[in-house]
Amino acid sequence: METPAAAAPAGGFFPSFLLLGFATLVAALLGAAHRLGLFYQLMHKVDKASIRHGGESVAAVLRAHGVRFLFTLVGGHISPLLVACEKLGIRVVDTRHEVTAVFAADAVARLTGTVGVVAVTAGPGLTNTVTAVKNAQIAQSPVLLLGGAASTLLQNRGALQAIDQMSLFRPLCKFCASVQRVREIIPTLRAAMAAAQSGTPGPVFVELPIDVLYPYFMVQKEMVSAKPPKGLVGQGVSWYLENYLANLFAGAWEPQPEGPLPLDIPQASPQQVQHCVEILSRAKRPLVLLGSQALLPPTPSDKLRVAVETLGVPCFLGGMARGLLGRSHPLHIRQNRSAALKKADVVVLAGTVCDFRLSYGRVLSRSSKIIIVNRNRKEMLMNSDMFWKPQEAVQGDVGSFMVKLAQGLQGQTWASDWAEELRQADRQKEQTFREKASMPVAEHLNPVRVLQLVEETLPDNSILVVDGGDFVGTAAHLVQPRGPLRWLDPGAFGTLGVGAGFALGAKLCQPDAEVWCLFGDGAFGYSLIEFDTFVRHKIPVMALIGNDAGWTQISREQVPCLGSNVACGLAYTGYHKAAMGLGAQGLLLSRESEDQVVKVLHDAQQQCQDGHPVVVNILIGRTDFRDGSIAV
């Protein structure tokens, strides 16, 4: 017989079950209400009468961050932000290919120390930027890529040009975000701008779906049917869409801070700096290698130069650090870097990494003490497990470190015979260059002699943009930038096609500078159409094409190794005539005008000063200057 005490738990089971089920239902309903934005809408209004749009929020943030230029290739997905930027005085510069727009933004970032900004349309517009974004990542350039996208409601439903853009850019960018509501535009862009410049700088991506950029009434017209819904299902769908639309615009125009967020820039600790001071103070043959990171904010280039001069250590300059010490500074060593590194007893790698450019670290002597400083720890220690070992590895800002190092070693001097030994090796190498410049070539002009004349003609206010293989590789030995931040090359990725975009960004940033672009004829094929851009936007730049009718850097190895010149041959194309067809000025240099090289260069300068972009097509022969150089 069952007792009352034993039956009590069974009687309480059903109320407990019902209570649990009710609580679960309430939680699900509350969660759904939260996801639908119902709670947010109770506290934040939707201004259905407003004609404002999300593009205005984008433009406001860019202006608050001091952005002066927006590079783009137009598309309907992004039209509102382009129009809004124009209204706020941000110059909108449209190019003929999206990759050029990114390269231009990259140049602005490098030359100004701010974020370069580019906006492109959805799908193919974004996929066209991938190479340039990857180049910015490897070159550590803070670039903000704004990408259009299909409506938030139509994602994964087969909309025009709709792809998974976030998955495409996550490996390329240090920050990726997709804006889902108009009110998110401002905080998302502020976070992206800060991320681009903090730590190791790099590109960031913000996806802006079309329905967060256009005004309420236009989105409503596309999203909600004007006809009354029929049936229960129709009414349910209509309610969902109306609520979706309301959540999209709820709180959209409430005031929000638009200005820059604080940046997170790593700094060397005092203990690390002091240890490096002690190591360097005992050196007999010290050497410094300065890379692009040394020119990053917050240290101004003139302050960095004073620090390097105060330190008094011979140095090699690479990347954006080229030109830091001017044209003929006694501390600047330009040639025979490998030999110098083998002889040095202390080497400071300041923003320089042990990748292929330093033979993965093998070029460093095992007996040398290596100090390396870099914002990026992974890059800093690259290949240190195989070919070299740092005595001191400092994760921090390079420019600030160099200033502190110079302060710690103030009054320290080193024997002059070490620097003189390096300068003597420089002089011997330069004598070899002069001998090669005087050698006859089978046809056309000697490229070494041409580049020597370019070096003699180049004005002090010039910015050099280099884009190519063999011709540019030769120029790197012969042509010197006249100051810091006056040399633009792709960086470690070795990307061809940067020329037009870099030149565009450089001339806009520094309109009083003469922008000289040194192109190989192969690389110029990527940039030719952008002379239409230069003409339309009245941007006078000067392009010098070393035209040897081939991909010579590849041919130089392929023919002796594999016995064929297949795919390496080009023609002595009349690039100057093609540029003239786009509205630019065109000049030709060939053997017939061998004694007119300087005159033609001056003519090109004058035409630029008169407001015209110019292409100088220089027909060159082949020399052995670059024999033994690497192409892979």
Side-chain angles (χ1 to χ4, degrees):
M1 180 178 177
E2 194 176 75
T3 65
F13 173 78
F14 292 104
S16 300
F17 180 77
L18 290 173
L19 182 62
L20 178 61
F22 178 74
T24 302
L25 178 61
V26 170
L29 290 172
L30 290 174
H34 175 72
R35 287 192 297 273
L36 291 169
L38 297 178
F39 298 132
Y40 188 88
Q41 292 174 51
L42 291 174
M43 303 176 64
H44 302 271
K45 70 173 186 175
V46 178
D47 188 351
K48 297 182 180 181
S50 176
I51 60 171
R52 295 180 63 181
H53 55 77
E56 295 172 355
S57 298
V58 175
V61 174
L62 297 185
R63 182 178 65 176
H65 284 73
V67 173
R68 297 163 53 206
F69 310 107
L70 174 67
F71 300 98
T72 190
L73 198 158
V74 71
H77 290 84
I78 58 170
S79 290
L81 75 87
L82 302 181
V83 172
C85 285
E86 181 188 41
K87 287 182 178 178
L88 289 187
I90 297 171
R91 184 170 177 180
V92 178
V93 183
D94 63 299
T95 63
R96 296 299 302 270
H97 196 292
E98 291 89 352
V99 76
T100 304
V102 180
F103 286 139
D106 185 339
V108 168
R110 299 190 198 195
L111 295 178
T112 65
T114 60
V115 178
V117 185
V118 56
V120 299
T121 197
L126 275 163
T127 58
N128 277 347
T129 70
V130 167
T131 296
V133 173
K134 184 64 184 180
N135 193 81
Q137 182 191 44
I138 293 178
Q140 300 175 349
S141 292
V143 172
L144 169 61
L145 174 63
L146 302 174
S151 163
T152 57
L153 191 65
L154 297 178
Q155 295 290 332
N156 302 314
R157 294 182 182 275
L160 174 67
Q161 297 181 332
I163 60 171
D164 182 1
Q165 298 172 163
M166 299 299 290
S167 294
L168 187 63
F169 284 96
R170 281 193 188 99
L172 306 178
C173 298
K174 57 185 300 194
F175 175 98
C176 287
S178 180
V179 174
Q180 297 298 299
R181 286 164 285 273
V182 179
R183 61 182 176 270
E184 296 173 1
I185 291 175
I186 291 175
T188 302
L189 289 178
R190 295 178 74 213
M193 296 286 273
Q197 299 174 89
S198 294
T200 305
V204 293
F205 172 55
V206 175
E207 181 181 73
L208 296 164
I210 193 169
D211 50 354
V212 304
L213 289 180
Y214 279 82
Y216 180 92
F217 73 93
M218 294 183 69
V219 178
Q220 181 187 42
K221 182 179 177 181
E222 294 296 322
M223 189 177 291
V224 181
S225 174
K227 297 178 181 180
K230 295 180 180 180
L232 187 60
V233 173
Q235 290 175 359
V237 170
S238 178
W239 176 86
Y240 175 81
L241 292 176
E242 288 281 4
N243 181 77
Y244 190 96
L245 179 64
N247 189 39
L248 201 64
F249 283 87
W253 316 124
E254 295 174 6
Q256 297 186 64
E258 299 166 348
L261 294 169
L263 303 182
D264 180 15
I265 298 175
Q267 296 291 339
S269 70
Q271 294 80 8
Q272 287 177 309
V273 174
Q274 182 57 37
H275 190 206
C276 294
V277 166
E278 293 169 3
I279 294 170
L280 200 54
S281 68
R282 295 190 289 269
K284 303 297 183 185
R285 298 182 305 280
L287 197 62
V288 173
L289 271 63
L290 274 177
S292 294
Q293 273 197 21
L295 273 295
L296 290 174
T299 306
S301 59
D302 55 350
K303 188 174 182 179
L304 177 64
R305 173 175 177 152
V306 170
V308 172
E309 290 176 327
T310 301
L311 196 60
V313 174
C315 60
F316 288 90
L317 306 175
M320 296 302 294
R322 284 175 179 262
L324 176 68
L325 298 176
R327 189 177 180 185
S328 302
H329 198 285
L331 289 177
H332 182 200
I333 311 301
R334 301 184 64 239
Q335 317 294 345
N336 303 295
R337 186 175 66 180
S338 296
L341 285 169
K342 289 295 185 185
K343 294 179 180 179
D345 59 353
V346 175
V347 177
V348 180
L349 301 178
T352 302
V353 298
C354 291
D355 59 11
F356 69 94
R357 291 168 292 184
L358 287 181
S359 191
Y360 310 99
R362 286 177 295 193
V363 73
L364 300 171
S365 171
R366 291 282 186 180
S367 60
S368 299
K369 294 181 178 178
I370 310 299
I371 297 169
I372 186 165
V373 55
N374 199 289
R375 291 195 187 190
N376 187 301
R377 180 170 180 80
K378 182 179 178 182
E379 283 202 357
M380 178 172 67
L381 298 177
M382 188 183 297
N383 298 310
S384 63
D385 58 337
M386 296 179 65
F387 301 119
W388 69 285
K389 294 290 181 185
Q391 184 79 11
E392 186 71 27
V394 180
Q395 185 178 3
D397 177 62
V398 176
S400 303
F401 172 84
M402 292 300 297
V403 171
K404 294 170 185 174
L405 189 67
Q407 291 171 346
L409 285 161
Q410 194 135 19
Q412 173 87 29
T413 58
W414 285 271
S416 60
D417 56 344
W418 166 236
E420 178 54 31
E421 178 185 343
L422 297 176
R423 287 194 292 270
Q424 178 60 28
D426 257 18
R427 289 190 287 268
Q428 291 173 355
K429 194 69 171 282
E430 286 161 4
Q431 176 59 33
T432 302
F433 295 162
R434 285 190 287 272
E435 293 170 1
K436 288 184 180 295
S438 65
M439 293 179 180
V441 292
E443 57 180 343
H444 303 304
L445 299 174
N446 183 324
V448 181
R449 180 56 183 155
V450 168
L451 288 167
Q452 284 185 336
L453 295 173
V454 168
E455 164 64 15
E456 293 171 12
T457 309
L458 197 68
D460 288 341
N461 71 335
S462 59
I463 296 176
L464 284 162
V465 174
V466 296
D467 183 9
D470 209 64
F471 186 66
V472 165
T474 303
H477 289 279
L478 302 172
V479 183
Q480 299 184 55
R482 300 319 197 222
L485 301 175
R486 293 187 173 273
W487 174 280
L488 287 168
D489 64 28
F493 202 33
T495 308
L496 293 181
V498 301
F502 280 7
L504 177 61
K507 187 63 177 178
L508 286 169
C509 286
Q510 300 189 30
D512 294 331
E514 287 191 18
V515 177
W516 289 48
C517 309
L518 305 182
F519 285 101
D521 54 332
F524 186 68
Y526 295 95
S527 289
L528 172 60
I529 192 59
E530 299 299 348
F531 275 79
D532 168 80
T533 303
F534 297 137
V535 170
R536 286 185 295 109
H537 289 282
K538 297 180 172 56
I539 297 173
V541 301
M542 190 165 128
L544 309 182
I545 306 169
N547 186 351
D548 59 4
W551 300 95
T552 304
Q553 182 161 302
I554 309 303
S555 177
R556 191 181 295 281
E557 292 183 57
Q558 181 175 305
V559 173
C561 291
L562 301 173
S564 172
N565 197 47
V566 62
C568 295
L570 297 171
Y572 283 107
T573 301
Y575 297 110
H576 59 300
K577 294 180 180 178
M580 292 167 68
L582 294 169
Q585 301 296 308
L587 300 169
L588 176 67
L589 273 172
S590 63
R591 178 160 288 182
E592 288 69 31
S593 52
E594 188 168 7
D595 59 346
Q596 300 292 307
V597 173
V598 173
K599 178 184 180 302
V600 170
L601 293 177
H602 285 315
D603 288 346
Q605 284 181 282
Q606 185 59 55
Q607 290 180 4
C608 271
Q609 290 165 11
D610 293 340
H612 304 291
V614 184
V615 169
V616 184
N617 190 16
I618 308 173
L619 305 186
I620 58 174
R622 302 193 179 190
T623 72
D624 63 355
F625 186 91
R626 296 251 303 150
D627 282 0
S629 62
I630 64 169
V632 293

